Amino acid sequence: MSQQVDNIKPSYPLFRDEEYKQMLDRKRDGFEEKHPQDKIDEVFQWTTTQEYQELNFAREALTVNPAKACQPLGAVLCSLGFEKTMPYVHGSQGCVAYFRTYFNRHFREPVSCVSDSMTEDAAVFGGQQNMKDGLQNCKATYKPDMIAVSTTCMAEVIGDDLNAFINNSKKEGFLEQDYPVPYAHTPSFVGSHITGWDNMFEGIARYFTLNHMDDKVVGSNHKVNVVPGFETYLGNFRVIKRMLKEMDVGYSFLSDPEEVLDTPADGQFRMYAGGTSQAEIKDAPNATTTLLLQPWQLEKTKKLVEGTWKHEVPKLNIPMGLDWTDEFLMKVSEVTGQPIPASLAKERGRLVDMITDSHTWLHGKKFAIWGDPDFVMGLAKFLLELGCEPTHILCNNGNKRWKKAMDAILEASPYGKDCTVYVGKDLWHLRSLVFTNKPDFMIGNSYGKFIQRDTLHKGKEFEVPLIRLGFPIFDRHHLHRQTTLGYEGAMQMLTTIVNAVLERLDEETRLMQTTDYNYDLVR
C-alpha cells in the first residue's frame, strides 16, 4: 500500500490504483451505510428539476455555500493595509486560524494576525483579562506600530465592550496611553466580509482624525484619497496608482496591502511591508476629495468622510470596464484640474480594439455571475459592453437598493432584458438556476467548481464551465496578482473570458471527422 520513492503519486491518480479502489469500496460497504446507487441517482436528478428549484427557493432556515465570508475577515484585510500594523481578533484561536488560512490559500503568502485566545471561561466571565494579556504580548512579541482590534461571534454575543477593554488595558499599564489601538465591532453573524472591512476602516480613520480636525483644511495637501474597500486583486492597487501617476495626480491610498500580500522570496521574512502610514491617515482630511472605489460596500466610510472630513465624495461606480473607467478618469480630471494624458487615451483605444476583435465570439453568450456588490455590478456592466447576456446575477450581500440599481443597468441594455438579479441567495440556489435555465458559462470564485461538476455529472450537454474571477480563488495560482480595474483590468478580463469561450469551442469540436468542422486555426 505504501508509495515508492521513485514513483510518488498525488491523491489523483493514486486513489485510482486498484488496491486503493478496493480499500475505498470496503470502507463504503462496511462503514458508510451508503444508500443504493439507483436511489442516489434518482435524488440527484430530482435536484436538477423545476420542482426542486421551487422548494429550494422557499427555504428560509438554511444557507448552503453562502457566497460570502464573515465580518472579521474583512477587518483583518483592512488592517493589513496599514504600515506595521498587527490585526488583532478578540475571540478564539480557531477564528483567527480560519482568517489566516483563508487568505493564505488565496494569496499564497503568510498572513500575520493574532487573537487573545478566548475559551469557555471568557465566554462566561468576559474577555477583559484575555485582552489585557493579549495586547501586551502582541506588542512585545511582534513589535507593531499599531494594533487594530476586531471581534468575533463569541465576544459580540456576550457583549464585550472594546472601547472599555482597551482603555482599561492602558490604564492598568499593559500598553502605553498613546499607543494606537483602533478597533471595530465586527459580529460574524450579521453582514459579511465587506461590512467588516468598512467597519474597520471607519474605526481606524475615526481614531486618527475624529478629535484632530481643528487644523485640517480640505484641499491643503493637494492630494486625492483613494479608499479601495475589500479588494483582493493586487494588480488593482497597481493600476489605479499607475493611472494617477500618469495624470500627475498626488494621492494617498488608504489601506494598501499590496506589498505585504506579495512579498518576494529573497531570503528575508517580512512580517510588515508597505502599507498606509499613520502620517497619511492623519493627513487624509487635508485632501481635495476622497474617491471610494467600491461605494456599495463603504457606507460607514462615506458617512465619516462626508461628516467629519467634510469631503464632497464624488458619485462614482467601480472603475471596471470601458464606460466606468472613463467616468473615473474624467472625475479625477475634474476635481484635480489635471488633463487625461495621451498614454491613457491610447490604452483606452487598445481596449476598444480588443473588444472589436473579440465581439464575434462573445456576442450573445450567456453568463451566470456572482460575488460582492461592486464587483458583480462592474462585471455585469462590462459583459453588457461586450455584447454578452447575463442570465443570473447573484449577490448574497447585496441589498434592495443595490438590486434596484442593478436592474436599472440591465434594463438600459438590450443584452440585459432576460436577466434576473438575486440578493440574499446562496450558491445552492444558483445550482438550481443553471440546471433549469442553462447559461453558457459561470463567472465567480472557486466554489463554483462544484456546480460545474454537478452539471457535468448530469451529462456533457448540461455542463456549465466556470471562469474564475472574484474572491476567493483557491484552486488556481497567481490570479490574485491580476487586474480587474481600469482599461488594463478590462483587457485582462476580456482575454480570460474570450479564451475560455474559444477553449470550450475546441473541447466541443475536437472529435475527428465528427465535430471538427470548427476545429480550425482561423479565429
Side-chain angles (χ1 to χ4, degrees), residues 237-471:
F237 295 91
R238 293 161 186 161
V239 74
I240 297 296
K241 293 175 185 177
R242 175 178 66 80
M243 292 194 298
L244 293 176
K245 286 177 182 176
E246 290 187 33
M247 292 182 68
D248 198 23
V249 170
Y251 64 86
S252 293
F253 232 104
L254 304 183
S255 184
D256 181 5
E258 175 201 337
E259 289 294 326
V260 75
L261 294 176
D262 197 16
T263 58
D266 56 4
Q268 176 186 353
F269 171 63
R270 297 167 175 82
M271 179 171 288
Y272 311 107
T276 304
S277 68
Q278 293 182 30
E280 283 181 289
I281 189 66
K282 290 175 182 177
D283 186 47
N286 290 323
T288 303
T289 190
T290 298
L291 305 172
L292 307 180
L293 297 186
Q294 300 191 74
W296 284 101
Q297 60 170 263
L298 294 171
E299 293 185 356
K300 275 195 171 182
T301 297
K302 183 173 185 288
K303 187 177 295 186
L304 178 135
V305 169
E306 291 180 333
T308 301
W309 296 359
K310 306 303 180 184
H311 288 183
E312 187 175 337
V313 177
K315 183 174 175 55
L316 289 170
N317 296 292
I318 185 171
M320 186 181 287
L322 182 67
D323 188 23
W324 285 355
T325 300
D326 290 349
E327 176 188 75
F328 174 78
L329 293 176
M330 288 189 290
K331 180 56 70 173
V332 171
S333 179
E334 176 189 327
V335 299
T336 64
Q338 292 295 102
I340 299 173
S343 60
L344 292 178
K346 184 179 289 186
E347 188 176 343
R348 181 187 191 278
R350 290 185 177 126
L351 171 59
V352 173
D353 183 60
M354 290 176 65
I355 292 173
T356 306
D357 292 341
S358 301
H359 179 263
T360 304
W361 296 104
L362 294 175
H363 177 77
K365 285 289 186 289
K366 299 182 185 298
F367 292 85
I369 63 177
W370 73 92
D372 293 330
D374 293 281
F375 177 82
V376 166
M377 185 174 283
L379 178 59
K381 180 71 162 60
F382 184 50
L383 289 175
L384 296 173
E385 292 173 345
L386 299 177
C388 302
E389 299 181 14
T391 56
H392 316 296
I393 295 178
L394 187 143
C395 183
N396 188 296
N397 46 6
N399 56 32
K400 292 180 180 178
R401 290 188 300 107
W402 178 88
K403 182 181 183 304
K404 184 177 179 181
M406 187 71 257
D407 284 334
I409 292 168
L410 294 166
E411 290 168 5
S413 169
Y415 305 119
K417 59 184 176 62
D418 295 324
C419 183
T420 305
V421 179
Y422 302 90
V423 297
K425 301 301 181 183
D426 55 46
L427 292 186
W428 194 253
H429 293 112
L430 185 67
R431 178 185 180 275
S432 284
L433 293 170
V434 300
F435 272 120
T436 57
N437 183 13
K438 179 182 176 295
D440 297 305
F441 295 88
M442 300 179 290
I443 303 180
N445 60 32
S446 289
Y447 288 104
K449 71 185 299 178
F450 299 110
I451 301 177
Q452 178 175 353
R453 177 200 61 186
D454 286 7
T455 57
L456 175 62
H457 183 71
K458 185 171 183 178
K460 187 65 178 177
E461 68 273 23
F462 297 99
E463 183 184 12
V464 183
L466 170 64
I467 299 172
R468 288 164 174 80
L469 287 172
F471 172 83

Side-chain angles (χ1 to χ4, degrees), residues 57-75:
F57 272 73
R59 63 182 160 92
E60 297 178 356
L62 174 69
T63 297
V64 183
N65 209 343
K68 67 175 182 179
C70 62
Q71 280 205 53
L73 186 85

Side-chain angles (χ1 to χ4, degrees), residues 14-23 25:
L14 177 65
F15 290 166
R16 302 308 298 156
D17 287 354
E18 192 59 36
E19 58 182 336
Y20 278 95
K21 289 166 67 176
Q22 293 175 4
M23 179 189 71
D25 286 342

Side-chain angles (χ1 to χ4, degrees), residues 134-144 147 174-176 179:
L135 290 173
Q136 184 180 53
N137 291 339
C138 176
K139 184 174 183 293
T141 304
Y142 303 111
K143 298 175 174 55
I147 299 173
F174 290 89
L175 285 179
E176 299 86 350
Y179 185 81

